[in-house]
């Protein structure tokens, strides 16, 4: 069995030792319910407050602006529904987003469209970026919300969030950002970024799965997500996931403390990987090379299927992703790559490699040595590649 090289950190990350250590006391020693008035409960409450304070510090906001959730999807759902329904009360039923958001955002928006909202999905440029100017041009008097992701989970492009936030602030429109791929990886500051609402998820920065948070700027009304007890200032009932909160806070604190060093290391590994794989003929890097998450590589190779590439790489111990979420079993190419304007045939041959601090130069050397072999093997058995080589169809990249 080969050594496993895990390069699918945009899907999920391994938990850090710090996160695990921070969680263990709450499984046994500190088992109280933070709502209980006795000592055991109050110790738990203090721990919860401490976790919330740490998370707030990392985002430059106040602890009471942080609401714990079950993850990024829940945070996205709640922020978007809340802003939309509050807007509707004032007769505002227009929402601005982009075509390449995560499905937690897109499906929430689709549902709102069925409920009578109008959503403008801004086109993404071929480099995977939108501009604040385009957002500004799309804002109408009845715009309730702008929701644009901080960094894309497939192609890794980082949007000009502070500029977009400024445009929204000036127009008096609520701005939400799905920052699940950004938090813990690049600097995120809700004040400097002019953000009103933000979603994050612990398992994307070496924290536990099933744990996330949303930021909602003080004074902005937030709908109740779950009816019941008074937890999360009455917005989300249910006894808190104390271990999860402590794990998330520890993981985030660690990620933010080491952010610059990690980003530097990952950017160097990433660039080495991009340069190595770009030598493959008829290949293409997807998304802007510079405004890009430190650990993200996303490439297309003409004439092959991303899924076949993945399976053969897995057999060589390389765990990656095609980036194309095969929604409901259909093999549609990634909506993100299509939003960047790639033709279907090209988008099918995609590979996403998302690195973490645990990856080494040796990992990169191995990937750079193996991927070209697998691509060549697949092209040799591909009827499409044969047609391309014979000039019966034009090369698109
Ligand atoms: C992973 C991810 C989510 C969903 O987060 P979960 O915690 O898995 O629900 C949402 N948005 C983006 C951009 C993501 O990468």
């Amino acid at each position: 069995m080969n050594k496993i090289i895990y390069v699918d950190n945009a899907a999920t990350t391994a938990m850090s030792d710090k996160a695990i250590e921070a969680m263990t006391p709450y499984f046994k020693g500190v088992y109280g319910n933070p709502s209980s008035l006795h000592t055991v409960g109050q110790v738990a409450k203090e721990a919860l407050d401490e976790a919330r304070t740490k998370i707030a510090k990392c985002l430059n906001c106040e602890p009471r602006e942080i609401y714990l959730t079950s993850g990024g999807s829940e945070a996205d759902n709640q922020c978007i529904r809340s802003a939309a329904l509050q807007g509707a009360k004032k007769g505002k039923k227009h929402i601005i987003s982009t075509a390449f958001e995560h499905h937690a955002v897109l499906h929430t928006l689709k549902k709102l469209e069925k409920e009578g909202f109008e959503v403008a999905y801004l086109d993404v440029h071929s480099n995977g970026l939108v501009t604040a100017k385009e957002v500004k041009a799309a804002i109408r008097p009845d715009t309730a919300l702008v929701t644009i992701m901080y960094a894309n989970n497939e192609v890794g492009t980082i949007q000009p969030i502070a500029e977009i936030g400024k445009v929204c602030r000036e127009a008096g429109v609520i701005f939400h950002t799905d920052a699940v791929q950004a938090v813990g990886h690049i600097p995120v500051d809700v004040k400097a970024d002019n953000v009103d609402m933000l979603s994050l998820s612990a398992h994307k920065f070496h924290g536990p799965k099933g744990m996330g948070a949303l930021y909602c700027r003080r004074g902005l009304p937030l709908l109740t997500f779950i009816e019941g007890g008074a937890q999360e200032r009455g917005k989300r009932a249910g006894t808190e996931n104390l271990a999860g909160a402590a794990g998330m806070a520890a993981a985030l604190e660690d990620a933010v403390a080491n952010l610059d060093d990690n980003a530097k290391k990952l950017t160097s590994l990433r660039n080495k990987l991009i340069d190595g794989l770009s030598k493959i003929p008829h290949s293409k890097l997807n998304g802007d090379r510079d405004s890009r998450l430190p650990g993200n590589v996303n490439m297309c190779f003409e004439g092959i299927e991303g899924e076949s590439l993945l399976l053969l790489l897995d057999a060589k111990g390389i765990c990656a992703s095609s980036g194309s979420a095969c929604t409901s079993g259909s093999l549609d190419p990634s909506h993100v790559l299509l939003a960047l304007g790639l033709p279907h045939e090209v988008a099918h041959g995609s590979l996403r490699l998302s690195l973490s601090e645990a990856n080494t130069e040796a990992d990169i050397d191995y990937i750079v040595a193996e991927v070209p072999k697998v691509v060549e093997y697949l092209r040799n058995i591909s009827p499409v590649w044969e047609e391309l080589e014979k000039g019966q169809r034009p090369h698109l990249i």
Side-chain angles (χ1 to χ4, degrees):
M1 182 66 193
N2 284 319
K3 177 187 165 223
I4 296 276
I5 297 179
Y6 183 80
V7 280
D8 198 13
N9 289 279
T12 197
T13 58
M15 277 186 62
S16 67
D17 289 339
K18 288 212 168 93
I20 295 169
E21 275 165 34
M23 288 175 83
T24 41
Y26 304 104
F27 294 122
K28 202 153 185 237
V30 189
Y31 51 81
N33 185 326
S35 299
S36 301
L37 293 178
H38 49 64
T39 313
V40 176
Q42 288 310 295
V43 171
K45 183 173 185 309
E46 271 166 37
L48 187 67
D49 290 345
E50 192 187 312
R52 199 186 304 279
T53 302
K54 278 185 190 171
I55 294 160
K57 215 170 255 168
C58 290
L59 299 174
N60 191 24
C61 66
E62 292 174 32
R64 63 175 147 168
E65 294 173 309
I66 295 293
Y67 296 81
L68 304 178
T69 68
S70 65
S73 300
E74 183 186 324
D76 283 340
N77 274 254
Q78 294 308 338
C79 287
I80 292 169
R81 282 200 76 77
S82 188
L85 299 182
Q86 303 286 356
K89 284 188 194 162
K90 299 180 207 149
K92 296 182 174 189
K93 300 192 83 173
H94 179 247
I95 300 171
I96 298 166
S97 189
T98 74
F100 81 157
E101 298 295 312
H102 189 272
H103 283 131
V105 170
L106 287 180
H107 291 181
T108 303
L109 293 175
K110 286 273 170 278
K111 195 161 172 228
L112 286 167
E113 281 183 281
K114 286 199 187 116
E115 294 170 20
F117 286 84
E118 187 188 335
V119 183
Y121 298 94
L122 297 183
D123 280 332
V124 181
H125 293 267
S126 58
N127 62 358
L129 295 170
V130 288
T131 67
K133 211 171 144 193
E134 286 155 349
V135 175
K136 189 173 178 177
I139 292 177
R140 309 193 315 207
D142 64 340
T143 303
L145 167 71
V146 171
T147 172
I148 293 179
M149 70 201 314
Y150 210 117
N152 185 271
N153 47 303
E154 288 187 30
V155 294
T157 48
I158 301 167
Q159 302 303 332
I161 288 299
E163 288 171 44
I164 295 173
K166 187 161 172 270
V167 159
C168 295
R169 193 63 54 87
E170 282 165 5
V173 176
I174 295 175
F175 178 43
H176 164 254
T177 185
D178 172 342
V180 171
Q181 291 289 335
V183 170
H185 299 279
I186 54 173
V188 173
D189 176 323
V190 292
K191 290 203 177 73
D193 291 337
N194 305 306
V195 167
D196 295 311
M197 296 174 122
L198 173 146
S199 311
L200 64 89
S201 174
H203 75 102
K204 302 290 174 77
F205 51 78
H206 305 288
K209 292 171 185 54
M211 191 70 218
L214 68 81
Y215 156 78
C216 180
R217 189 162 61 83
R218 219 176 108 202
L220 265 190
L222 193 63
L223 292 182
T224 297
F225 337 157
I226 299 177
E227 305 289 345
Q231 291 92 350
E232 300 304 302
R233 286 169 300 292
K235 303 299 182 192
R236 185 181 190 266
T239 303
E240 300 89 344
N241 179 356
L242 191 48
M248 172 162 69
L252 184 56
E253 208 174 35
D254 193 32
V256 168
N258 297 298
L259 197 129
D260 291 343
D261 287 348
N262 286 341
K264 217 163 138 196
K265 179 189 168 186
L266 287 184
T267 302
S268 148
L269 291 178
R270 176 199 79 188
N271 289 343
K272 184 173 171 176
L273 191 48
I274 292 174
D275 292 339
L277 297 182
S278 295
K279 295 203 179 96
I280 297 175
H282 302 287
S283 64
K284 181 186 188 306
L285 175 71
N286 297 312
D288 195 77
R289 184 169 171 141
D290 300 319
S291 188
R292 182 178 203 96
L293 287 172
N296 176 288
V297 176
N298 188 309
M299 300 202 46
C300 279
F301 306 103
E302 201 176 16
I304 63 162
E305 289 287 338
E307 280 71 22
S308 316
L309 178 59
L310 274 192
L311 293 176
L312 292 177
L313 289 178
D314 187 36
K316 289 172 179 280
I318 300 170
C319 297
S321 159
S322 68
S324 68
C326 312
T327 7
S328 62
S330 72
L331 284 179
D332 285 339
S334 140
H335 71 285
V336 171
L337 296 180
L338 296 182
L340 264 59
L342 287 184
H344 273 247
E345 306 92 289
V346 175
H348 266 298
S350 62
L351 176 69
R352 179 186 72 185
L353 302 157
S354 43
L355 313 177
S356 87
E357 305 74 52
N359 291 121
T360 62
E361 295 271 347
D363 291 350
I364 303 302
D365 291 338
Y366 180 70
I367 297 169
V368 168
E370 294 304 319
V371 172
K373 291 187 214 162
V374 177
V375 169
E376 196 185 336
Y377 169 79
L378 287 171
R379 282 177 172 171
N380 284 337
I381 58 168
S382 154
V384 172
W385 184 251
E386 198 181 334
E387 286 174 30
L388 286 163
E389 285 301 273
K390 285 186 180 155
Q392 290 163 348
R393 57 160 92 198
H395 280 289
L396 297 172
I397 53 173

